């Protein structure tokens, strides 16, 4: 068994708390001999800013390059509200995505049967929901140049950013979406704003051509992003894979996450291109943020971090059996009505972060026999 190096970047607020529970899952796999993991730990976001004056150091980037996968927590909090824009915690994550070349972000929105009642939509609209959002992650308006804030002669300011996508950037993310669709229901809905933005016109052309040339077995539809937001709350189950750009993906993935009943449940994976030596950069993080309001009180839901860990097992380490074990354990815990505060059911007392971790480990042990 080859040893896999994992860089753990827990981040801020509830990040380190939920990460402890994810680490317990990995330690268990080490202990039972199912895996051989080695861990490095690093600071990112506000924690890195406090220690080093920057949300991401060159050393951390080096550690990321040297690792087989990065397990990421969450970053940010009101403590860093006054920090210079460039040095804000969020920038640590954006720089890391860029440095690792993580152009593809996969955000599943899945409704766990036991949690369908926690959705803000009617049960029948979300029961069985299983959408995969494929978000472009290192291009578009998040990184486009020119950008900045300029002072105006009238004493006001003008803030500006650039939305731009080139053919090759669209192609590589579209390939990811089409390939994924083939393993699912073979339907991709590509989302843009081609009625207003030239970047959307190119996006639409490139995705259509790619589909016609290489993926005739996959159904491709196009939707404007405003309509997509509306359709997601109207009939979310119409979607299989949603392919979209960086900004639209940011917005739609929060929306889709909420449909599922809890942001605290959803994992995500980000990938770069496969290198010549066969290695592919991968980073795994929960969709939820750092939840400063409940930090340090053993209240956070560790399941999204734990499910991000199972995505890492599945995608970076090809450990489908172990990933299934973790996911089945989470399902079992939910079906026993063990819930943290964010997903608590009527008449059930919420458990804390650590107790949720205990429950998952107990189920893993039971399921593994
Ligand atoms: C996300 C977050 C980030 C983003 C922030 C923290 C920079 O909202 O991962 O969705 O906008 O990409
Ligand atoms: Mg977001």
């Amino acid at each position: 068994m080859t040893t896999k190096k994992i860089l753990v970047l827990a981040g801020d607020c509830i990040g380190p708390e939920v990460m402890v529970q994810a680490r317990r899952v990995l330690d268990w796999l080490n202990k039972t001999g199912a895996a051989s993991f080695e861990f490095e730990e690093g600071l990112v976001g506000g924690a890195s800013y406090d220690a080093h004056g920057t949300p991401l150091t060159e050393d951390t980037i080096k550690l990321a390059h040297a690792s087989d996968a990065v397990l990421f927590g969450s970053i940010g909090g009101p403590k860093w509200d006054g920090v210079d824009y460039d040095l804000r915690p969020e920038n640590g994550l954006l720089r890391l995505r860029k440095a690792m070349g993580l152009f593809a972000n996969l955000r599943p929105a899945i409704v766990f049967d036991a949690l369908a009642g926690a959705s803000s939509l009617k049960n029948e609209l979300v029961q069985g929901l299983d959408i995969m959002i494929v978000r472009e992650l290192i291009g578009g308006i998040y990184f486009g140049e020119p950008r900045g804030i300029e002072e105006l002669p009238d004493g006001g300011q003008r803030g500006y950013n650039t939305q731009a996508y080139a053919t090759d950037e669209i192609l590589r993310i579209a390939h990811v979406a089409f390939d994924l669709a083939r393993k699912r229901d073979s339907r991709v809905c590509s989302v843009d704003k081609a009625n207003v933005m030239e970047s959307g016109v190119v996006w639409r052309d490139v995705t259509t051509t790619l589909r016609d040339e290489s993926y005739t077995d996959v159904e491709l539809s196009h939707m404007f992003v405003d309509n997509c937001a509306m359709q997601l709350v109207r009939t979310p189950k119409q979607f299989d894979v949603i392919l979209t750009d960086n900004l639209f993906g940011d917005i739609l993935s929060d929306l889709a996450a909420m449909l599922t009943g809890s942001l605290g449940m959803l994992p995500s994976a980000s990938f770069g291109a496969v290198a010549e030596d066969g290695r592919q950069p991968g980073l795994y993080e929960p969709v939820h943020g750092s939840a400063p309001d409940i930090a340090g009180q053993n209240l956070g839901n560790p399941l999204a971090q734990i499910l991000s860990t199972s995505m890492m097992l599945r995608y970076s380490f090809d450990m489908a059996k172990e990933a299934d074990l973790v996911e089945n354990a989470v399902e079992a815990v939910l079906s026993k009505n063990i819930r943290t505060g964010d997903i608590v059911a009527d008449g059930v007392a919420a458990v804390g972060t650590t107790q949720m971790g205990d429950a998952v480990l107990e189920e893993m042990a039971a399921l593994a026999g």
Side-chain angles (χ1 to χ4, degrees):
M1 194 186 312
T2 54
T3 298
K4 302 288 185 193
K5 271 197 238 161
I6 301 172
L7 174 62
V8 178
L9 299 175
D12 307 321
C13 300
I14 66 162
E17 289 175 70
V18 294
M19 189 64 85
V20 168
Q21 305 311 318
R23 270 298 299 271
R24 290 175 70 197
V25 167
L26 293 170
D27 289 341
W28 186 90
L29 291 171
N30 257 351
K31 206 179 65 201
T32 57
S36 170
F37 297 129
E38 233 173 63
F39 302 97
E40 284 276 2
E41 284 182 22
L43 297 176
V44 71
S48 172
Y49 177 81
D50 288 347
H52 305 295
T54 170
L56 182 71
T57 62
E58 288 302 319
D59 282 349
T60 303
I61 294 176
K62 277 199 198 112
L63 286 176
H65 286 312
S67 69
D68 294 301
V70 175
L71 191 57
F72 196 95
S74 52
I75 46 158
K79 179 176 177 199
W80 301 281
D81 276 353
V83 171
D84 274 0
Y85 195 71
D86 280 0
L87 298 176
R88 292 175 60 92
E90 290 78 1
N91 239 295
L93 176 56
L94 294 174
R95 280 192 218 165
L96 184 61
R97 286 173 179 168
K98 195 72 169 178
M100 292 178 70
L102 306 173
F103 67 88
N105 182 214
L106 274 45
R107 299 194 163 182
I110 297 166
V111 168
F112 292 84
D113 280 347
L115 288 184
S119 171
S120 44
L121 293 194
K122 290 193 207 85
N123 219 306
E124 65 266 24
L125 286 179
V126 296
Q127 190 92 47
L129 182 75
D130 180 358
I131 300 175
M132 179 67 87
I133 297 187
V134 177
R135 169 189 179 193
E136 198 292 324
L137 202 60
I138 53 174
I141 202 158
Y142 271 54
F143 293 95
E145 297 286 347
R147 65 186 297 160
I149 300 178
E150 63 184 23
E151 304 301 323
L152 297 176
D154 68 1
Q157 290 184 314
R158 180 173 167 270
Y160 56 98
N161 295 84
T162 303
Q163 163 81 336
Y165 272 105
T167 303
D168 59 335
E169 289 174 286
I170 303 167
L171 275 177
R172 62 182 183 180
I173 190 70
H175 271 291
V176 172
F178 287 126
D179 287 337
L180 254 169
R182 279 186 172 155
K183 297 185 189 152
R184 301 169 46 100
D185 199 32
S186 292
R187 291 183 295 121
V188 172
C189 178
S190 174
V191 175
D192 60 45
K193 191 70 185 166
N195 52 346
V196 177
M197 294 160 87
E198 284 78 359
S199 55
V201 174
V202 177
W203 185 279
R204 208 168 262 230
D205 277 357
V206 171
T207 50
T208 304
T209 306
L210 179 63
R211 186 272 167 196
D212 292 348
E213 282 174 4
S214 310
Y215 295 92
T216 44
D217 54 317
V218 179
E219 184 191 308
L220 172 67
S221 58
H222 300 279
M223 217 178 251
F224 298 135
V225 63
D226 49 349
N227 184 27
C228 180
M230 188 268 275
Q231 297 294 338
L232 271 171
V233 286
R234 193 178 72 107
T235 43
K237 282 192 252 180
Q238 70 182 282
F239 296 103
D240 178 27
V241 173
I242 292 178
L243 162 65
T244 192
D245 77 11
N246 203 344
L247 179 64
F248 299 154
D250 179 46
I251 300 166
L252 295 177
S253 62
D254 264 27
L255 194 162
M258 199 58 223
L259 296 180
T260 69
S262 175
L263 217 52
M265 292 296 302
L266 295 178
S268 80
S270 303
F271 302 108
V274 181
E276 266 170 31
D277 61 4
R279 281 159 48 106
Q280 183 176 30
L283 179 147
Y284 300 83
E285 59 175 318
V287 170
H288 65 68
S290 62
D293 51 321
I294 57 166
Q297 302 165 57
N298 194 40
L299 290 176
N301 183 349
L303 293 180
Q305 190 75 62
I306 288 174
L307 291 170
S308 299
T309 308
S310 80
M311 276 187 107
M312 176 179 76
L313 298 175
R314 192 180 300 284
Y315 291 112
S316 277
F317 304 147
D318 224 357
M319 295 173 66
K321 196 174 123 227
E322 289 72 18
D324 286 344
L325 176 67
V326 176
E327 287 162 24
N328 291 337
V330 169
E331 290 263 14
V333 166
L334 292 175
S335 67
K336 289 187 175 160
N337 265 334
I338 300 171
R339 306 286 170 85
T340 43
D342 56 321
I343 49 174
V344 78
D346 285 345
V348 179
V351 303
T353 311
T354 310
Q355 290 69 38
M356 186 56 110
D358 293 345
V360 172
L361 283 168
E362 218 169 275
E363 290 298 337
M364 281 177 65
L367 287 168

